[in-house]
Amino acid sequence: MVQARLDGDIRFLKGVGEKRSEAFKRLGAATPRELLGLYPRAYEDRTTVKKISELALGEVSLVAATVTAPVSTSYVRSGLTLSRVVVSDGTGLARLVFFNQPYLSRAIKVGVRYLFWGKVNRTGATPELHPTDFTPLAEGEEPTGAILPIYPLSSGLTRKAVAAAVASSLELLEREGVTDPLPDGLVLEQRLARYSFAIENIHRPLSFENLDLARRRLIFDELFYMSLGLIMLKGRREGKAGRVFPKISLSEFEQRLGFSFTAAQRRAAEDCAADLCSGSIM
């Protein structure tokens, strides 16, 4: 069995395989390292677990509740199923509604406590929640919220599959280690987070403060490398000859415009004229 490596083929990553690796490659992630460079496009704030009694109409909320009765599934019309289940958290009852998920009768068990995430569509004596996600809680486990990253997807990939692959890639990063591409002096001077911290917290932020620090570091890197590229490009061009234009009379040009230059406009025009007459590529 081939061991997964950061710069190896992503198909060797735990849970990926040959077929799913093609979907990752369509996203531009052919290796685990490239997958870690595929940053989330958004984040869901699941940091607060709400009580049923606190649910507000229209909000998307995280609720920890115990299933009190078996899932009831009915056919609304051809090809459409409607599943309902009642849950309780000690502060009240809530009705959960799922569309086209007939497997729920096997997945959701009576007496088990779950974390449900979804939109509140009705309040009152029995609030109604339309969950898009749920996770079982172990007996005695205290529910904790989290900041959930949302990744771009391609055909054949689910949010959970991408999140699992990212988690495995972060484990590889920790095991193989990573050298910060920026010098220590620059990192300290600009008060930046370390690169390893930024990668960890752009994918698994423990707080929004950590997420902001990670974003700032990674944005700085992008701008820094772009600036270096422009400097290198300029350096290559400076040695090449360009077309030499005849001397330009700014006073004549200004008269044709019909208005007078401001001091800043005159300085800019003088710079442009000097470059055009210099014989170097602008």
Side-chain angles (χ1 to χ4, degrees):
M1 183 177 178
V2 179
Q3 187 177 17
R5 297 193 62 82
L6 267 178
D7 294 308
D9 196 305
I10 198 167
R11 75 177 186 271
F12 300 120
L13 197 63
K14 180 181 177 181
V16 175
E18 190 72 41
K19 185 177 180 181
R20 191 172 282 172
S21 70
E22 295 304 315
F24 278 107
K25 289 172 183 177
R26 285 196 294 272
L27 287 176
T31 68
R33 191 186 298 277
E34 289 178 348
L35 178 60
L36 292 179
L38 185 70
Y39 304 143
R41 58 179 176 80
Y43 297 86
E44 286 181 353
D45 184 359
R46 300 191 186 186
T47 54
T48 303
V49 182
K50 286 202 169 184
K51 300 182 186 301
I52 289 176
S53 60
E54 298 172 337
L55 295 179
L57 183 64
E59 283 188 353
V60 181
S61 301
L62 186 66
V63 175
T66 303
V67 177
T68 61
V71 177
S72 171
T73 300
S74 58
Y75 288 88
V76 180
R77 60 176 183 269
S78 178
L80 179 64
T81 61
L82 181 66
S83 300
R84 296 183 177 90
V85 60
V86 177
V87 299
S88 171
D89 68 350
T91 71
L93 297 175
R95 182 180 292 106
L96 310 183
V97 177
F98 301 85
F99 293 98
N100 282 344
Q101 298 183 55
Y103 66 88
L104 290 175
S105 59
R106 301 187 303 273
I108 295 181
K109 305 296 183 184
V110 177
V112 177
R113 196 170 178 228
Y114 296 85
L115 269 177
F116 296 99
W117 169 259
K119 186 175 182 179
V120 181
N121 275 30
R122 191 170 67 219
T123 54
T126 306
E128 185 177 280
L129 191 72
H130 289 197
T132 57
D133 193 14
F134 64 91
T135 306
L137 294 168
E139 187 174 351
E141 180 183 355
E142 284 301 316
T144 55
I147 302 169
L148 190 73
I150 307 299
Y151 293 95
L153 301 176
S154 68
S155 177
L157 287 179
T158 63
R159 284 170 54 171
K160 288 187 176 180
V162 175
V166 168
S168 296
S169 299
L170 287 171
E171 290 176 7
L172 285 178
L173 185 71
E174 185 176 358
R175 187 168 72 227
E176 295 184 22
V178 60
T179 301
D180 199 313
L182 296 184
D184 288 345
L186 181 61
V187 172
L188 292 173
E189 177 188 325
Q190 297 297 323
R191 298 181 180 179
L192 300 171
R194 292 292 178 185
Y195 182 73
S196 56
F197 174 94
I199 291 296
E200 173 74 27
N201 282 273
I202 203 70
H203 291 290
R204 291 194 300 201
L206 295 178
S207 67
F208 283 103
E209 182 182 6
N210 282 9
L211 178 57
D212 287 341
L213 290 171
R215 278 174 167 161
R216 182 175 181 272
R217 167 59 201 264
L218 296 174
I219 290 171
F220 181 92
D221 281 19
E222 289 185 14
L223 293 175
F224 181 74
Y225 298 140
M226 184 177 69
S227 299
L228 287 180
L230 291 173
I231 291 171
M232 291 173 65
L233 183 62
K234 181 181 178 183
R236 287 199 297 268
R237 285 180 173 175
E238 282 179 345
K240 297 181 180 179
R243 180 180 174 185
V244 180
F245 286 82
K247 188 174 180 181
I248 297 169
S249 171
L250 285 182
S251 58
E252 292 180 9
F253 179 63
E254 189 175 5
Q255 288 175 3
R256 294 179 186 178
L257 291 177
F259 63 87
S260 298
F261 284 136
T262 64
Q265 288 171 341
R266 175 165 292 279
R267 287 195 298 273
E270 287 172 348
D271 285 343
C272 289
D275 284 344
L276 286 168
C277 302
S278 68
S280 298
I281 295 175
M282 290 179 67

